[in-house]
Every structure is written in C-alpha cells, then in structure tokens.
Amino acid sequence: MSEIILVNVSGQDKPGLTSSLMSILAEYNVGVLDIGQAMIHETLSLGMLLEIPDQEKLSPVLKDLLFHVHHMGMQVRFTPISNEQYENWAIGTGKPRYIITLLGRRITAEQIARIARVISENDLNIEDILRLSGRKPLHKGGETSRACIELSVRGQPVDLDAMKDSFMEISQQLGVDISFQEDNVYRRNRRLVAFDMDSTLIQQEVIDEMAEVAGVGDQVRKVTEAAMRGEIDFRESLRQRVALLEGLDANLLDTVIERISLTEGAERLITALKAFGYKTAIISGGFTYFGRHLQQRLGIDYMYANELEVEDGRVTGNVVGEIVDGPRKAELLKQIANKERLNLEQVIAVGDGANDLPMLRIAGLGIAFHAKPLVKRSARQSISTLGLDGILYLMGIKDTDTPM
C-alpha cells in the first residue's frame, strides 16, 4: 500500500539540492504528486508531495532524506497525508483560478493584510505569491519606483461585486492598485494592445494645447473636462471645441507637438510589447496630425483619430469625416482584431475618458489609466499609482523579462 508524505525543505540554498534529493527518491521509485519552490533573499523553501509505493520503504526513504538534508545544513519536515486529505486537495485543483495583482510605488504589510482578509472572507484560498517587480535598492525609490506582487487564488467568490468594492476601497485608502482577473488561456495569449492618445499615451490633452496656442485655452479646457467626465456627448463637445480653433495658423501645430510629452512608462511598455511580438494601436478622439507623429516615434502598428480640416493654411473649425467617439473606438478595435485574426479576449484596451469605456468593455483586458472616477468605477481594471508600464504586471510579465 502506498503512502503520501508532504516534505518541506528550507534553509540557505545549495547548488545541486534538487538533483541530489531526486536521486535519492529515484532509488525507491517514489512518485512526485506535486512540487513547488520559492527563493527569498537566498533562502530556499521547497515543498514536495510524494507517493511512496511501498509502506516498507517509507522509513528508509525518510531516513535517507533526513540525513542528506541535515548534511547540507538545511531543515526538513515530514507530514503524513491521508487519502481523504489528498482527495480533497485534488478536488480543489478543479475550482476556478484567479489572479490578484497588487501594484504601486511600494507594497506594505497593511495592504497585503487587508487584501488577504477580503480573499479569505470570500472563501478563496491563496495558492501562490509571486513578485513581478525587480529587486528594489534600499536607497532608491520615490515617484518612479515600481512594486508588484501577484497572488494566485482558487475558489468561487461569495460576492464578486462586494469583493471588488472592498478592493476599490482598499485601493483608495492605501494607495495601491488591485487587479482581479480570471486565470484563463486568453490571459496568457493576448496579442494586441490599443491605446487612447490624450492623457493616456501622452500626458497632455492635445486640443487643450492647441487652444492655448490659439488663445482660447480656458474655454476649450472647460468643455474637455466635462466631456471626459461624461457630462457632455463627445461628438458635440468635439464640435464645440474645434469650432473655437477656427483661424488657427496650421504652422503652429508643430509648436503643439513640441509641447507633447510621453506618459511615464510609455516608451518602456511599447518597447517591451514590440519585443514580445504584440501589435499596437492608437485609437483616439484626438487628431491624426499628432497621432501620426506618435505612431512614427514609437513604431505603432495602427493609428485612428479625427481629421482636422485645414484650408489655405488655417484650421477651419471643422472635422473631416466620421468622428471617432466612444462607439467608433469600439468599432475600430473590432476591425483591427478581425484583421489580425484575434478574438477580442486577446485584446487589451487602455484609456482614461468616458469615451474610452466602449472599447474598454469589449476588450479582454480593459484598463482605466489614471482615469476619472466614473471611468475607474465602470472599467474592470484600473491603474492609478504607476506609469503605463504597469500594464506589463497585469499581463503577468516580470521586470526581469522585459528588454529594458
């Protein structure tokens, strides 16, 4: 009759440990039902769930393991597992699996404690914890530091909406972003990332910058802010704002380009996505003149935006063709996905305004980036503490895997 034993080995990591342990187990024809290992500051924790085929071999196996581990200056613990305990564990592996990602400038014990309490209250069990951010130097950090851990949990939440509300409350109180995603095949197989441009890929609202140059900054800015809050229909707000730009010298558009600056982490994110073979797109309610500049600068694959009408070297105050509003953004995202032969679950969409919500909702991963409260509440995921490269963490990508 076989015996099941949980073996936990811990201590200062030693080269060749796994090889030597498995060689001992191989002599007794031991089966490995599960195995996992973690390293924290050169200290190893190794767990093995072993099936020893013959009860008579149990004592010799444990004796040899104990002697070898102690010889290496490490500790070992043996825990017998009953058949009932094993069956309950095996059944548990069939429960739904989710990924909870914590990201911010700094991860604290209080953040983890509050989040873990919510997880426990919803009958979820933490199976794995993984650090995605790089090792943090002691004397560096501040506004550009990044910290992220990923929790793998199993179970079915008692109240999914209430759990997400609790996460949002913790996020607001403790300055940490919390993402909750189903761990399915699409999460690991996304191939297209689409960005809004203004206040997402770049820090500015371009039309506001144009208005400053035209001397109507205050008027345009008020309409822009109302539109981003969802208080004014985007099409109407765009017409109002563009009309105020009538007569602007088109040569001054290059002056506006000089005022544009990329959002924190944008260049690092795009470089990583290109290195990993992702397609990228700009789908913007802004203007093609500036979208083309960014497309060339960053190497973006697709770019859609509004066409500003210019006649005799002057802005006419009109937009040419169909306005790229919220529904149009979602339609364009579908078109790009179809052209790339992708399921929408393989698509990531990122934006900050109310007009981005339609494309955020249809994407497999829709991310509200430093968004207005309405947008943040409505989107499934949000990032408010880090730059755009924080998206890599939601994709499960470690800092050590990125090209820069």
Side-chain angles (χ1 to χ4, degrees), residues 5-11 21 36 44-50 65 69 74-79 81:
I5 299 292
L6 176 61
V7 179
N8 294 103
V9 179
S10 60
L21 290 178
L44 174 141
S45 178
L46 170 65
M48 302 178 289
L49 190 61
L50 306 178
L65 287 176
V69 171
M74 305 180 75
Q75 295 78 47
V76 63
R77 186 176 71 251
F78 303 117
T79 306
I81 303 297

Coordinates of all heavy atoms in Angstrom, one line a residue, residues 5-11 21 36 44-50 65 69 74-79 81:
I5 N 3.4 11.5 1.5 CA 4.1 12.3 2.5 C 4.4 13.7 1.9 O 4.8 13.8 0.8 CB 5.5 11.7 2.9 CG1 5.2 10.3 3.5 CG2 6.2 12.6 3.8 CD1 4.6 10.4 4.9
L6 N 4.1 14.7 2.7 CA 4.5 16.1 2.3 C 5.8 16.4 2.9 O 6.0 16.3 4.2 CB 3.4 17.1 2.8 CG 3.8 18.6 2.6 CD1 3.9 18.9 1.1 CD2 2.7 19.5 3.2
V7 N 6.8 16.8 2.1 CA 8.2 17.0 2.6 C 8.5 18.5 2.3 O 8.3 19.0 1.2 CB 9.2 16.2 1.8 CG1 10.6 16.5 2.3 CG2 8.9 14.7 2.0
N8 N 8.8 19.2 3.4 CA 9.2 20.7 3.3 C 10.7 20.8 3.7 O 11.1 20.5 4.8 CB 8.3 21.5 4.2 CG 6.9 21.5 3.8 OD1 6.1 20.8 4.5 ND2 6.5 22.3 2.8
V9 N 11.4 21.4 2.8 CA 12.9 21.6 3.0 C 13.1 23.1 2.9 O 12.6 23.8 2.1 CB 13.7 20.9 1.9 CG1 15.2 21.2 2.1 CG2 13.5 19.4 1.9
S10 N 13.9 23.6 3.9 CA 14.1 25.1 4.0 C 15.6 25.3 4.5 O 16.2 24.5 5.1 CB 13.1 25.8 4.9 OG 13.2 25.3 6.2
G11 N 16.1 26.5 4.1 CA 17.4 26.9 4.5 C 18.2 27.6 3.5 O 17.6 27.9 2.4
L21 N 18.3 15.3 -4.1 CA 17.1 14.8 -3.5 C 16.4 13.9 -4.4 O 15.9 12.8 -4.0 CB 16.2 16.0 -3.1 CG 16.7 16.9 -1.9 CD1 15.7 18.0 -1.7 CD2 16.9 16.1 -0.6
G36 N 6.9 22.4 -5.5 CA 7.0 23.8 -5.6 C 8.2 24.4 -4.9 O 8.6 23.8 -3.9
L44 N 15.9 29.2 0.6 CA 15.0 28.4 -0.2 C 13.9 27.7 0.7 O 14.1 27.3 1.8 CB 15.9 27.3 -0.9 CG 15.1 26.2 -1.7 CD1 15.9 25.9 -2.9 CD2 15.0 24.9 -0.8
S45 N 12.7 27.6 0.1 CA 11.7 26.8 0.6 C 11.2 25.9 -0.5 O 10.7 26.3 -1.5 CB 10.5 27.7 1.2 OG 9.5 26.9 1.7
L46 N 11.4 24.6 -0.3 CA 11.0 23.5 -1.3 C 9.9 22.6 -0.7 O 10.1 22.1 0.4 CB 12.2 22.7 -1.7 CG 12.0 21.5 -2.5 CD1 11.4 21.9 -3.9 CD2 13.3 20.7 -2.7
G47 N 8.8 22.4 -1.4 CA 7.8 21.5 -0.9 C 7.6 20.4 -2.0 O 7.6 20.7 -3.2
M48 N 7.5 19.2 -1.5 CA 7.2 18.0 -2.4 C 6.2 17.1 -1.8 O 6.2 16.8 -0.6 CB 8.5 17.2 -2.6 CG 9.7 18.0 -3.1 SD 11.2 16.9 -3.2 CE 11.6 16.7 -1.5
L49 N 5.2 16.8 -2.6 CA 4.1 15.9 -2.2 C 4.5 14.5 -2.8 O 4.4 14.4 -4.1 CB 2.8 16.3 -2.6 CG 1.6 15.6 -2.1 CD1 1.5 15.6 -0.5 CD2 0.3 16.1 -2.7
L50 N 4.9 13.6 -2.0 CA 5.5 12.3 -2.6 C 4.6 11.1 -2.3 O 3.9 11.0 -1.3 CB 6.8 12.1 -1.9 CG 7.9 13.2 -1.9 CD1 9.1 12.8 -1.2 CD2 8.2 13.6 -3.4
L65 N 16.5 10.9 3.3 CA 16.3 12.3 3.1 C 16.7 13.2 4.3 O 17.4 14.2 4.1 CB 14.8 12.6 2.8 CG 14.2 12.1 1.5 CD1 12.7 12.4 1.4 CD2 14.9 12.9 0.3
V69 N 19.6 16.1 4.0 CA 19.3 17.5 4.2 C 20.0 18.1 5.3 O 20.6 19.2 5.2 CB 17.7 17.6 4.4 CG1 17.4 19.0 4.8 CG2 17.0 17.3 3.1
M74 N 20.5 22.2 6.2 CA 19.2 22.7 6.0 C 18.2 21.9 6.9 O 18.6 21.0 7.6 CB 18.8 22.5 4.5 CG 19.7 23.2 3.5 SD 19.3 23.0 1.8 CE 17.9 24.2 1.7
Q75 N 17.0 22.4 6.9 CA 15.9 21.8 7.7 C 14.9 21.0 6.9 O 14.7 21.4 5.7 CB 15.2 22.8 8.6 CG 16.1 23.5 9.6 CD 17.0 24.6 9.0 OE1 16.5 25.4 8.2 NE2 18.2 24.6 9.3
V76 N 14.3 20.0 7.4 CA 13.3 19.2 6.7 C 12.2 18.9 7.7 O 12.4 18.6 8.9 CB 13.9 18.0 6.1 CG1 14.4 17.0 7.1 CG2 12.9 17.3 5.2
R77 N 10.9 18.9 7.1 CA 9.8 18.5 7.9 C 8.9 17.5 7.1 O 8.7 17.7 5.9 CB 8.9 19.7 8.3 CG 7.8 19.4 9.2 CD 7.0 20.6 9.7 NE 6.2 21.2 8.6 CZ 6.4 22.3 8.0 NH1 7.5 23.0 8.3 NH2 5.6 22.8 7.0
F78 N 8.5 16.4 7.7 CA 7.7 15.4 7.1 C 6.2 15.4 7.7 O 6.1 15.5 8.9 CB 8.2 14.0 7.3 CG 9.7 13.8 6.8 CD1 10.7 13.5 7.7 CD2 10.0 14.0 5.5 CE1 12.0 13.4 7.3 CE2 11.3 13.8 5.0 CZ 12.3 13.5 5.9
T79 N 5.3 15.5 6.8 CA 3.9 15.5 7.2 C 3.1 14.4 6.5 O 3.0 14.4 5.2 CB 3.2 16.8 6.9 OG1 4.0 17.9 7.5 CG2 1.8 16.9 7.5
I81 N 0.0 12.5 4.8 CA -1.2 13.0 4.2 C -2.1 11.8 4.0 O -1.7 10.8 3.3 CB -0.9 13.7 2.8 CG1 0.1 14.8 3.0 CG2 -2.2 14.1 2.2 CD1 -0.4 16.0 3.9

